[in-house]
Amino acid sequence: MTDLPHPLASTAHVSGEDLALALTTTTVPAFITGPWESGMPVIWVNEAFERLVGVGAEDLRLLGPHPLLALVEDDPNRAAAQADLAAGRAMRRIVSARKRDGGVSWLQVDVTPMPHSDGAEMRWVGVTTDVSEYVDQQAAQLASLEVERRQRADLDLIAQTTELLGDLEYPFALRDIADLLRSLVPWSGFYLNDDGLQHAEGVDVASPPTGRGRRHTRYVPETWPGDLEALDGGTPPDGAAPDGNAPSVAAGSSPDRVQELLDGVVDGPVRLDLGGDYGPHSASGWLRRDLVRRVVEESGVVPRSVVVHAVAGRRRVLGLLVTWHGDAARGPGAGEDGWSEPGPEHIFTVVEVVARRAGTAIDNARLYAREHRLAEALQRAMLPEQADVTGLDVWTYYAPNAEHAQVGGDWYDVLQISEGTVGMVIGDVVGHDVEAAAAMGQLRSVVRAYAYELTTPGTVLDRVDQLVTGMRVPRPASMVYATLHHVADDDSWSVEYTRAGHLPPLLLRDGDVRLLSGAGGSLVGFGTAARTTGREVLHRGDVLLFYTDGLIERRDRSLKVGLDTLVEMSGRITARDAAGVGEELLSRLADSPEDDVAIVVVRVPDPVEDARITALSPRSRRWLLPSEPASIGRARHAVLRTCQAWGLPESAAAELVVSELVANGVLHGWGNIALRLFDTGDGLRIEVEDANPAPPVATDGHPNRVGGFGMQIVERLADWGWRPAGSGKLVWAKLRPQPMPSEEPAAVTG
């Protein structure tokens, strides 16, 4: 095997002329320079170098010291390169250089000191490699990664805003979305249009704005405060007078582009010049004043202009999303007003997507809330008020399933047919829509008509079957109808009942629970045989419970298991009044109902026994009331009956306090109102919870109108306070204890 020659040994067979010719003809640009101390003058370049830069050695010598540096367009590490050359170290750098055709190429430059004898002048040999393609690919990859990173960040921001828009009952949803957008722009904020623009941190879905406002608050002549000028370097906004006052307002001098956006005349977005002249009551003028104040308070800078996006619903613009991009971010004129989209395009796109999604979400939330309020109002209009029946303690309850915006088919009725005779009916029409409500209304009317005409429940239901068959009611329905007749001799009540495919009522007696499962039959309108009538006798203290399947039916268990659970829970009840029985059942069974719930509790009073064991009754009650005026009367009724059942002397004061607290919840809150009563042992505690987080305020009345003294009344009768609860607030009042009325002393006889 022959040994390969050493690489350096091979040069012995190559002449100096051959080496010079090789360096001259190679396609790799090469050059030789003098020492660093002499300014590295160019001694020689090959033809490839001349072709690359378009300059020969003679021309380079004319450029003075360090002529090669004149060819370099960009070298971020120039200082480090010069340090290496000054120290005599080899150097490799990637630099950009101007090409002959005016273009720029990226070059990898390798400069190496040539061996030399002592006292001889140092020379450097350099070669260059065109790496433009590599640099361009790397730059493209970095740009692609940056675009992907930015897109991911934008998508993440949009996802977070979508999550916030999914819960518009949260009172600061819009504020939090604006805070998220401030990762892209210096300032952003939402404005909703409710007969005039208002800055909004959340959405009041229970009292939706009209979206048609034109009068944007009372016009107040504006001024540009001197301290605002100082914050901005002493220069008033564009168009302002030199003395710092606002520009003179001439009607029509500047178009009201914001109002055009609100009216749907333009699609937007539009730029609002905060130094323009705008007329009184204009949307642009009001928004300009409010924005300057808010942006200055948060950033300390007087803004020059903002971008206004429409927050549009299905049929109208509901409000605005305003962003300030910083005054240096104005784009070149391109639109009708000499303005184009400011800042990076992706920011504009993200803000536009957020505004569009916010408009859709707000519109959907208001539509749902409006339908839900209308549906619930329709449902309750078909249900009777809390019944007061002579000789009986009656408590009724109805709550629609929160998942359904439509009306439901559950219903009940309590009829004082005559003195000593009471009719009770509870039913369920299949469905949660207007058709179900219509069928329920028809059945309620038919049953009422026959209940006053006939006396036996089986006969009443036979007639109902006949009429419903002829009316062709489109929805199947179940029902229980019962009549109670007072037996004067022993204060008992005889009960007659019939069932049409409905769950059996429960009879609670001294801790025992029995299903009244007799007199069963098919659904209303489907009876093929005469309806039968069951009979029972109620004694003092007995409780009769009517209910719909929403109280016990769950997806994860059968109806029989739910009925067994109801029987078991009913046997544990210790309350001695109808409201207490109902509230205990609700607390144990109806925390998360999956259907509408209707309950009627009928109890035969037992004055002697009730007075004896009042202290053993649970000392808490709760009610869930709709946010409507009728709930104020029901709350007064509830607290009076509770004070009577618990033997509390402060019933009059409690009635007044609960009336004021619930009225405040109805007037200023939204959603359902939770009422809770607690007997603390040293006074009755009343709690009212609603979904409005704003705290209650004691005022000296409202100018020019009645009212405004509610919390002052509460303060005179009770200690009170409030705390945040869920997405709203809880207001509590503890009545000051009142002495029990003393009995008259017995007469002393001699």
Side-chain angles (χ1 to χ4, degrees):
M1 180 175 179
T2 305
D3 293 336
L4 294 174
H6 191 277
L8 294 178
S10 64
T11 61
H13 305 289
V14 181
S15 66
E17 293 179 357
D18 291 338
L19 289 174
L21 181 61
L23 288 173
T24 301
T25 58
T26 183
T27 59
V28 177
F31 58 86
I32 296 176
T33 72
W36 169 262
E37 294 80 3
S38 302
M40 295 189 74
V42 176
I43 299 174
W44 170 87
V45 298
N46 65 0
E47 295 178 1
F49 187 88
E50 290 185 6
R51 288 193 299 270
L52 176 66
V53 301
V55 180
E58 293 298 329
D59 296 326
L60 287 172
R61 293 189 188 103
L62 299 177
L63 297 179
H66 300 286
L68 294 178
L69 294 180
L71 304 177
V72 177
E73 289 286 325
D74 183 26
D75 181 9
N77 298 311
R78 175 171 291 189
Q82 292 178 351
D84 288 340
L85 294 174
R89 295 189 295 267
M91 179 271 297
R92 169 177 288 182
R93 292 291 183 270
I94 294 179
V95 299
S96 65
R98 182 70 59 182
K99 296 192 296 186
R100 177 185 299 177
D101 59 3
V104 176
S105 61
W106 287 92
L107 304 176
Q108 177 178 299
V109 181
D110 291 86
V111 182
T112 307
M114 298 175 62
H116 63 287
S117 58
D118 293 340
E121 184 180 60
M122 175 184 286
R123 294 186 177 182
W124 298 81
V125 60
V127 295
T128 62
T129 305
D130 192 341
V131 293
S132 298
E133 184 177 354
Y134 167 78
V135 171
D136 291 343
Q137 289 177 352
Q138 186 181 40
Q141 290 176 353
L142 292 175
S144 176
L145 290 174
E146 175 61 22
V147 170
E148 182 179 355
R149 183 201 65 78
R150 190 177 64 227
Q151 288 176 344
R152 288 180 180 272
D154 292 346
L155 290 174
D156 181 64
L157 188 149
I158 292 173
Q160 293 182 62
T161 61
T162 302
E163 183 177 355
L164 288 169
L165 290 171
D167 183 19
L168 286 179
E169 291 187 356
Y170 171 56
F172 303 111
L174 298 184
R175 181 200 65 185
D176 289 355
I177 292 173
D179 289 343
L180 287 174
L181 288 175
R182 293 182 192 184
S183 64
L184 301 177
V185 294
W187 189 91
S188 66
F190 282 90
Y191 288 81
L192 294 181
N193 189 22
D194 181 12
D195 290 330
L197 287 170
Q198 296 291 336
H199 183 263
E201 294 186 331
V203 181
D204 182 0
V205 295
S207 180
T210 63
R212 296 179 176 177
R214 294 191 63 88
R215 185 178 179 87
H216 304 282
T217 74
R218 183 174 64 86
Y219 174 71
V220 178
E222 57 189 304
T223 58
W224 293 98
D227 58 336
L228 299 190
E229 298 174 25
L231 288 171
D232 198 37
T235 305
D238 296 341
D243 60 359
N245 292 327
S248 59
V249 178
S253 59
S254 292
D256 193 354
R257 302 302 300 278
V258 174
Q259 189 62 57
E260 292 177 358
L261 193 64
L262 291 172
D263 293 339
V265 176
V266 296
D267 293 332
V270 300
R271 181 178 73 88
L272 177 63
D273 186 352
L274 300 184
D277 294 341
Y278 303 105
H281 314 302
S282 66
S284 298
W286 182 89
L287 186 59
R288 183 257 304 276
R289 291 191 294 274
D290 192 73
L291 280 170
V292 169
R293 177 179 61 83
R294 292 183 185 278
V295 176
V296 168
E297 287 178 356
E298 295 188 29
S299 67
V301 177
V302 179
R304 302 294 186 178
S305 66
V306 294
V307 182
V308 185
H309 295 255
V311 177
R314 289 177 177 82
R315 299 181 179 179
R316 63 180 65 95
V317 175
L318 304 176
L320 306 171
L321 173 54
V322 182
T323 54
W324 175 49
H325 295 247
D327 294 317
R330 295 187 190 182
E336 181 181 326
D337 60 352
W339 169 79
S340 66
E341 302 157 14
E345 182 178 354
H346 79 99
I347 294 179
F348 175 85
T349 302
V350 170
V351 174
E352 184 69 17
V353 169
V354 170
R356 190 163 56 247
R357 292 195 175 190
T360 301
I362 293 171
D363 208 17
N364 287 341
R366 291 176 179 167
L367 179 62
Y368 175 87
R370 183 167 60 251
E371 289 184 351
H372 192 79
R373 288 194 303 273
L374 291 174
E376 192 169 323
L378 176 60
Q379 179 81 60
R380 293 187 180 279
M382 296 181 180
L383 297 175
E385 294 288 336
Q386 172 72 41
D388 282 322
V389 179
T390 304
L392 291 174
D393 181 9
V394 179
W395 179 87
T396 56
Y397 175 87
Y398 169 77
N401 180 16
E403 296 179 0
H404 299 128
Q406 296 83 17
V407 292
D410 288 15
W411 58 291
Y412 66 84
D413 213 346
V414 180
L415 310 173
Q416 184 82 57
I417 297 175
S418 64
E419 186 176 357
T421 301
V422 178
M424 302 279 180
V425 59
I426 195 164
D428 186 0
V429 178
V430 175
H432 297 90
D433 52 19
V434 175
E435 191 175 78
M440 180 263 283
Q442 290 174 310
L443 283 175
R444 179 189 177 205
S445 299
V446 170
V447 173
R448 275 197 164 198
Y450 289 134
Y452 283 99
E453 178 184 348
L454 306 171
T455 56
T456 304
T459 305
V460 170
L461 199 51
D462 281 335
R463 297 289 296 274
V464 172
D465 282 334
Q466 295 172 12
L467 190 56
V468 166
T469 302
M471 293 170 59
R472 296 184 179 180
V473 175
R475 295 295 182 88
S478 64
M479 186 178 72
V480 175
Y481 176 67
T483 56
L484 288 79
H485 304 278
H486 183 233
V487 180
D489 295 340
D490 57 1
D491 274 342
S492 63
W493 291 75
S494 65
V495 181
E496 296 181 328
Y497 67 93
T498 187
R499 297 187 301 120
H502 200 86
L503 294 167
L506 267 63
L507 175 60
L508 286 63
R509 176 178 293 163
D510 297 330
D512 293 329
V513 181
R514 182 157 58 90
L515 295 172
L516 301 185
S517 54
S522 56
L523 296 173
V524 177
F526 293 89
T528 57
R531 299 285 186 174
T532 59
T533 300
R535 291 174 175 81
E536 289 288 339
V537 176
L538 299 181
H539 303 287
R540 291 182 177 182
D542 287 352
V543 174
L544 200 58
L545 173 64
F546 302 87
Y547 55 95
T548 57
D549 57 4
L551 181 64
I552 61 174
E553 189 175 24
R554 301 292 182 270
R555 296 185 183 95
D556 58 351
R557 70 187 185 194
S558 66
L559 193 61
K560 182 180 183 305
V561 173
L563 187 58
D564 292 341
T565 302
L566 173 62
V567 172
E568 179 186 356
M569 293 297 179
S570 299
R572 301 178 184 177
I573 291 175
T574 58
R576 302 297 298 181
D577 62 313
V581 172
E583 292 301 328
E584 281 197 50
L585 285 175
L586 289 177
S587 64
R588 297 177 181 181
L589 296 173
D591 283 342
S592 300
E594 297 174 1
D595 199 354
D596 303 340
V597 176
I599 304 174
V600 178
V601 180
V602 183
R603 182 176 181 274
V604 180
D606 186 355
V608 176
E609 187 68 10
D610 291 349
R612 187 179 68 83
I613 64 172
T614 293
L616 301 179
S617 298
R619 293 303 192 178
S620 66
R621 295 283 188 272
R622 69 161 195 163
W623 290 263
L624 189 65
L625 307 172
S627 184
E628 59 185 27
S631 295
I632 303 172
R634 184 179 177 190
R636 289 199 301 266
H637 179 91
V639 75
L640 280 175
R641 297 296 292 267
T642 301
C643 288
Q644 293 172 4
W646 290 352
L648 300 179
E650 57 262 28
S651 59
E655 182 183 11
L656 191 55
V657 169
V658 81
S659 178
E660 294 297 338
L661 295 184
V662 174
N664 280 341
V666 170
L667 291 174
H668 307 295
W670 55 81
N672 289 326
I673 296 173
L675 168 64
R676 302 181 185 91
L677 304 178
F678 301 91
D679 181 9
T680 64
D682 60 348
L684 182 68
R685 179 184 174 93
I686 301 169
E687 294 183 355
V688 175
E689 181 178 348
D690 61 52
N692 185 351
V697 178
T699 67
D700 294 328
H702 301 306
N704 303 322
R705 60 188 177 95
V706 178
F709 298 98
M711 297 312 297
Q712 289 191 14
I713 296 174
V714 173
E715 284 182 341
R716 289 180 178 273
L717 298 173
D719 300 318
W720 73 279
W722 76 281
R723 60 179 173 82
S727 61
K729 66 176 179 298
L730 183 148
V731 183
W732 60 268
K734 183 179 177 183
L735 295 177
R736 301 183 182 98
Q738 299 181 8
M740 293 288 291
S742 58
E743 296 182 357
E744 292 292 329
V748 178
T749 57

